[in-house]
Amino acid sequence: MGTTSAGAKQGKLNYKLFWTWDHSTNWVLNTIGKQNCGVANHYTKRPDTFVRDYLRVVDWSAANGIDAIGIVGLLRDSHGGFDSARRICAYARERGVRIYLIAGLYAYGGIYYEGDSPLSLDRFLANNPDCMGQALDASPQYINFRFPYGYKKEPVACPSNRKVRNFVLDSLDYLFMVIPELGGIQMEAGDSFQCLCERCRARRADMHGGEKRLPAFSFSDMADIYPAAAEVVWSRSPDAWVICETYTHYINNSVFSDVTSPALQAMLKMPDQTFWQWGDRSFGQRVWTEADRLPEPLRRFRHVMRAHHSTQWDGGRGTLAVENIRQQCRLSYAAGIQGVSMFGETSPFHANTEFNYLALQYFADHPMDSVHSFAEQVMAPRLGGTALAERYLELGVLAKTPEKIPSAVREIAKIISGVTDDDALRRWNYLASFLNSYYWESVQGQKA
Ligand SMILES: [Zn+2]
């Protein structure tokens, strides 16, 4: 019996996940070196702030129903490598929360994101140039991350190379041996390149993974390594979560229901406990509706729908995203998906973020409920009553209409004069300051 039917009986989503980069996760306030965006950035805070940030994410997750926290850049020399990672993983396990590594198997530095480690893909490729991914003219491939989306020129590996495959599988084996408390892995096969060497092109043609010229990721590459990688992980850590990133939504490619595809057949050999992870950005293609259930062959697996609410990618950091989170949970539930994921990089000191996180928990538990129910059940006790909670939802989205902000701030000042609870005061003060920052910018922008 798969988890889908068990989930349906309870009428809820079973898994809530936070997705994070190490360099832009800021839960300790008033530290130096904070960043608010990026991919492939330097880590710019003091080394010990990394552990302090994530212990706070774990504490909040344990108290508020978040099951697992994914970290890109978990392993870096600049914040303590294996020792720091293990400390965070063990602390989380003791509190019933999982830390899972988010890692590119052929890109993004591999298992050890940055530093002088035998598990560093960058180091491996520097020592083994014959393992580099190739362009059509056989020149070695790099991903050029450009500011503000990172700074590195990072080498990528050829997925058809046997030495690369052995390196990836050995790295995973070593990782789960030295950090037994690690809760799992979100695996990726690379979303910014496809190796175009002869062997890769021939293999993809054989596997029929539904590849298109763009976007630059390959389901055949995923299907070629995910099953073997999962086996290595489970041989060390039988309860680990193995999350297979797809970089897309199943509505975007018919390969996910094409059982004649050797790529899909390879993935279908994986055990039911495997997670498939989808993204809710439909890449300019058709829009996801409640009628778009999971493809039939995939229904026995576990699934996570990942979203980018309130980040550099969607809306801006700190924006209120309650309605979008409601839709993410409702559509996931209707589709037969059991888990939802969103960015967890921002401290819940920021009240909009706090309500976004609480919305993920609430709508995962009550996927068919309305925003009004959320306001009544969750926001009202934190803001001074249901009417005020409804008002917060209306005022909280005014960042894009700065001309309405001055009167909103005056209204919030009146509300504050009647609020006695310290945490409720923090939330209203935060909202006034958040909106004022957008008003200020609109005025400065006119001068410029
Ligand atoms: Zn290749």
Side-chain angles (χ1 to χ4, degrees):
M1 178 69 77
T3 48
T4 307
S5 50
K9 226 183 284 172
Q10 292 160 18
K12 59 191 271 192
L13 296 157
N14 293 330
Y15 310 107
K16 288 145 282 179
L17 284 67
F18 274 165
W19 196 107
T20 70
W21 262 103
D22 62 338
H23 68 260
S24 47
T25 291
N26 304 315
W27 281 56
V28 180
L29 303 178
N30 306 325
T31 58
I32 57 171
K34 281 201 280 191
Q35 300 175 67
N36 65 4
C37 69
V39 174
N41 293 25
H42 290 287
Y43 186 79
T44 48
K45 290 191 245 184
R46 291 195 173 103
D48 65 317
T49 310
F50 172 70
V51 172
R52 291 170 60 215
D53 273 327
Y54 277 99
L55 296 192
R56 296 219 187 154
V57 188
V58 170
D59 284 341
W60 200 90
S61 297
N64 293 282
I66 301 297
D67 303 287
I69 303 152
I71 307 177
V72 198
L74 174 65
L75 294 163
R76 275 206 216 227
D77 282 359
S78 57
H79 52 55
F82 282 110
D83 289 345
S84 295
R86 187 160 187 200
R87 198 173 147 205
I88 295 167
C89 292
Y91 184 87
R93 283 280 193 174
E94 285 162 16
R95 285 153 186 81
V97 177
R98 285 167 188 271
I99 300 290
Y100 63 96
L101 174 70
I102 301 175
L105 303 180
Y106 303 129
Y108 293 101
I111 299 304
Y112 199 98
Y113 178 67
E114 188 178 73
D116 185 21
S117 164
L119 273 58
S120 157
L121 180 69
D122 295 358
R123 193 177 106 168
F124 172 81
L125 291 173
N127 293 333
N128 298 276
D130 58 311
C131 293
M132 289 281 296
Q134 293 176 13
L136 262 185
D137 64 1
S139 60
Q141 283 200 337
Y142 295 84
I143 305 175
N144 284 297
F145 295 100
R146 294 188 199 287
F147 189 79
Y149 304 113
Y151 74 97
K152 288 186 184 180
K153 183 181 178 186
E154 203 156 55
V156 297
C158 167
S160 297
N161 186 301
R162 186 56 52 176
K163 268 161 74 182
V164 170
R165 189 180 184 85
N166 289 341
F167 170 75
V168 166
L169 298 179
D170 289 349
S171 296
L172 285 167
D173 183 55
Y174 185 80
L175 170 70
F176 281 88
M177 181 185 71
V178 293
I179 312 184
E181 301 88 351
L182 185 61
I185 184 165
Q186 175 193 313
M187 298 187 285
E188 309 195 3
D191 61 347
S192 304
F193 80 106
Q194 284 183 36
C195 178
L196 297 175
C197 79
E198 265 178 43
R199 276 188 295 174
C200 280
R201 281 184 290 147
R203 177 176 49 76
R204 286 188 203 110
D206 288 344
M207 291 182 78
H208 295 288
E211 277 82 11
K212 300 162 192 165
R213 198 165 169 74
L214 287 170
F217 53 79
S218 160
F219 182 56
S220 295
D221 289 1
M222 300 172 202
D224 191 47
I225 189 74
Y226 287 170
E231 223 170 277
V232 170
V233 170
W234 283 320
S235 70
R236 284 283 179 200
S237 181
D239 91 320
W241 283 8
V242 171
I243 304 169
C244 299
E245 177 60 56
T246 65
Y247 298 120
T248 189
H249 194 300
Y250 55 79
I251 63 172
N252 290 334
N253 199 324
S254 58
V255 72
F256 299 115
S257 48
D258 178 6
V259 290
T260 67
S261 155
L264 186 64
Q265 284 174 7
M267 291 292 289
L268 292 178
K269 293 199 178 93
M270 295 183 77
D272 295 3
Q273 76 217 56
T274 309
F275 284 93
W276 292 56
Q277 185 160 274
W278 310 95
D280 81 343
R281 293 191 296 183
S282 47
F283 301 103
Q285 300 178 46
R286 73 190 177 89
V287 177
W288 186 27
T289 72
E290 286 191 30
D292 294 311
R293 284 184 45 78
L294 280 166
E296 198 284 327
L298 305 187
R299 289 181 193 164
R300 65 180 173 81
F301 295 104
R302 301 192 280 190
H303 296 266
V304 174
M305 184 56 68
R306 178 171 60 79
H308 294 72
H309 312 299
S310 193
T311 67
Q312 58 177 316
W313 311 110
D314 184 7
R317 186 171 274 218
T319 49
L320 194 62
V322 170
E323 168 59 17
N324 287 347
I325 293 165
R326 181 190 72 80
Q327 286 185 32
Q328 176 191 8
C329 294
R330 185 183 178 113
L331 286 168
S332 297
Y333 178 69
I337 289 166
Q338 307 92 336
V340 278
S341 167
M342 67 182 280
F343 276 53
E345 296 182 344
T346 308
S347 163
F349 165 80
H350 307 283
N352 286 351
T353 298
E354 181 186 16
F355 287 128
N356 289 343
Y357 293 166
L358 292 170
L360 190 78
Q361 180 189 22
Y362 181 82
F363 290 111
D365 287 346
H366 311 91
M368 304 309 281
D369 269 14
S370 64
V371 169
H372 174 74
S373 302
F374 173 68
E376 201 174 55
Q377 303 291 319
V378 177
M379 296 179 74
R382 291 171 170 83
L383 290 168
T386 301
L388 287 178
E390 300 275 11
R391 198 62 191 133
Y392 189 106
L393 285 167
E394 289 161 0
L395 298 172
V397 294
L398 293 182
K400 289 199 178 83
T401 48
E403 69 280 6
K404 295 182 181 166
I405 290 175
S407 68
V409 169
R410 279 192 291 277
E411 184 184 337
I412 294 170
K414 279 188 203 143
I415 291 169
I416 285 172
S417 69
V419 170
T420 51
D421 176 73
D422 286 341
D423 255 350
L425 270 176
R426 166 181 61 80
R427 295 179 182 109
W428 286 109
N429 274 313
Y430 164 86
L431 181 60
S433 177
F434 171 80
L435 291 175
N436 259 331
S437 73
Y438 281 84
Y439 179 66
W440 171 272
E441 272 307 306
S442 76
V443 172
Q444 306 300 309
Q446 281 164 18
K447 285 181 197 160

